Every structure is written in C-alpha cells, then in structure tokens.
Amino acid sequence: MENSSSLPSDGGKRRQRVQSAETGMTILKALARLGGAASLTAIAAEAGENAAKVHRYLSSLTYEGLVAQHPATQHYHLGPEAVRIGLAALRQCDPVRMGESALLRLRESLRVTCFIAVMGNMGPTVMRMEEPSLPVTVNIRPGSVLPLLWSASGQAFLAFSDDEALQNTARAEYEAAAPEQRSLVGGSDPVQGLRQQVRGQGCAIVRDTLLAGISAVAAPVFDARGHVSAVLTALGASNGFDARPGGSICPRVVEEAAAISAAMGYAPPA
C-alpha cells in the first residue's frame, strides 16, 4: 500500500493546477507578442520553455479553441476563443470610464482640476471632470470643446496623433487667430514646431494661453493600436501651478495617462 505521505496534498494539487495555468498563459502571451502567429520553435523561445513542453500546452490550448494550427505551415495562431476574449476586452476599453480613478487620484493628491477629453466632431471635447474642494473658476465643463493650438488638451491630441486632417485644422485655427495669439506659437511652421516641442516634453504645457491666469498640462492616452483615444489634463491657477516638465504635476499626469493606456492594451514601442 502506498504511503499517504508520498501523495500530493490537496494544496499541492491546487498549486500544480495554478502552475499549469500560469504556464499556459505564459505561452499564450508569448504567441500574442509574436503577432498572433508563429512556429513552435519561435513560441518556445519567446516563452523561455523547451519545445516539447510548449507543444503539450499548445495541444491543450488548441483543444480549448484558444489556439489553432495552420494545416499548411503548421504554425500556431490565436484561435476563435482567443478572438472572442479579445473582442470582449475591447468593448470594455472606454478611456473615460477607465480613467475615472486616475481623475480622482490627481484631484486628491495634487488638489487640481482635472478632466478627460476625447476627439469629437468639433474638436477636443471634455467628457469627465473632477474638481477639488476649492476649485479654480474656469469656463470649462463636460461638453466644452477646446481649441487645438491654445489648449493643453488640443496640443496633446495634435502632437501625438499623425492625423493629417487634424494638422490641417490646426493650421486653419492658426490663420484665424489674432496676431498676439499667433505670437505664442512661433517658427516657420508653427504647427510642426509645436508638435515637436510637445513630443519632446512628453506632455503639453500651456500658461495663460487659453484662459488668463490658468495653466494646464495634458498627456495622451493610447489605445491598443497606438492611436490617441483620449487626453488626460490637469489645470490650475498659474501662480500656484507647477507646470514645469519635470515638476510636481507633469510627471504625475503622464504616469496616470500611461496607466490608462496600459489598461487599454497599449504596449509602448521598445
């Protein structure tokens, strides 16, 4: 009769199942990182496992519909169940909803007004806004449409998007502006110069540009495809608002925007 002490305990069996699930997920994520289709050898190398072990797990994942194998090339690719899971996740990727906790954290930690804007038909549009207990009086509310060149939110959309139509809109906005306003954006090509400046800073910064006495910083939120889906903005009275690129506010806004992007499925380029 086998000694009961040599048999795996219930806790040991549970741990084995957890380890198996972790290995399966590691292999599935390795396949995703390889673009969703790859050979057994490539998947094993990416997952850091031996090919025989990976083959066993791929067989199980294939049985569950998470992976499929091309009959001609024998390469593995994401299966229909993985596609369904991905689509369900994408349907939940609402940057406004996913950014609610970031707005609350910024409001409480920095004591600033903050909001999330998306690109609407008329331009950057404020969707969700949080204000501290002693808010700065600004004529911005949910539904407000902001300019591209004179607002931090607009500049962030403009700088981190490669949409040519958006750049043309910004040029038209520049041409329609008063001379004193144009002087705030210099250079032979003001739009491209501004885009380069904002990209270099990692965030958009405006001081008394859109509203007198008000400064703001804004950072982009990217979706899984790397497109700007929203912009996270913080603003406050210029005399008490640290708008320096390396100050107390910009890094926090950039950090929170990056966290929303990660939750949206965005992976920054290496």
Side-chain angles (χ1 to χ4, degrees):
M1 182 174 179
E2 187 174 5
N3 190 331
S4 61
S5 63
S6 66
L7 296 174
S9 65
D10 288 345
K13 290 178 181 178
R14 284 195 296 270
R15 181 58 191 158
Q16 287 176 354
R17 288 196 294 269
V18 170
Q19 289 175 335
S20 294
E22 289 174 350
T23 302
M25 292 304 100
T26 296
I27 292 169
L28 197 59
K29 288 188 285 187
L31 178 56
R33 287 195 301 272
L34 291 168
S39 66
L40 171 61
T41 303
I43 298 169
E46 180 68 23
E49 301 281 358
N50 69 71
K53 181 178 181 180
V54 171
H55 182 264
R56 292 196 302 271
Y57 277 88
L58 285 172
S59 296
S60 296
L61 291 169
T62 299
Y63 179 79
E64 294 296 334
L66 292 166
V67 170
Q69 190 173 24
H70 194 284
T73 65
Q74 297 302 303
H75 283 195
Y76 293 91
H77 58 88
L78 295 174
E81 291 301 326
V83 173
R84 291 188 184 96
I85 291 171
L87 290 173
L90 283 174
R91 284 193 289 270
Q92 297 179 27
C93 286
D94 175 4
V96 177
R97 180 183 62 81
M98 300 180 84
E100 289 177 353
S101 58
L103 291 177
L104 295 174
R105 283 192 295 270
L106 290 175
R107 183 194 68 184
E108 294 305 312
S109 63
L110 299 177
R111 303 296 180 186
V112 296
T113 297
C114 48
F115 61 83
I116 293 179
V118 301
M119 184 58 68
N121 293 335
M122 303 299 292
T125 304
V126 178
M127 298 299 292
R128 174 70 187 271
M129 189 171 184
E130 291 290 342
E131 295 179 291
S133 55
L134 295 174
V136 175
T137 303
V138 292
N139 191 27
I140 296 176
R141 288 290 178 267
S144 296
V145 178
L146 305 172
L148 286 172
L149 292 178
W150 321 117
S151 71
S153 305
Q155 289 184 10
F157 273 113
L158 180 64
F160 293 96
S161 171
D162 292 324
D163 186 353
E164 187 65 34
L166 203 62
Q167 296 174 42
N168 290 336
T169 300
R171 292 187 182 97
E173 191 176 281
Y174 178 82
E175 293 299 327
E180 60 271 18
Q181 202 168 27
R182 288 191 202 179
S183 66
L184 299 173
V185 184
S188 57
D189 189 339
V191 170
Q192 288 304 322
L194 180 61
R195 294 181 75 238
Q196 292 173 8
Q197 176 185 336
V198 171
R199 281 177 176 263
Q201 295 171 165
C203 61
I205 302 172
V206 300
R207 299 179 182 87
D208 309 317
T209 301
L210 179 62
L211 298 168
I214 300 296
S215 293
V217 300
V221 173
F222 297 99
D223 63 20
R225 299 170 297 170
H227 298 161
V228 181
S229 62
V231 163
L232 180 64
T233 302
L235 62 82
S238 295
N239 59 5
F241 190 89
D242 184 2
R244 296 171 300 158
S248 60
I249 295 176
C250 282
R252 285 295 314 281
V253 173
V254 171
E255 178 185 357
E256 292 288 0
I260 302 170
S261 299
M264 296 274 290
Y266 173 67

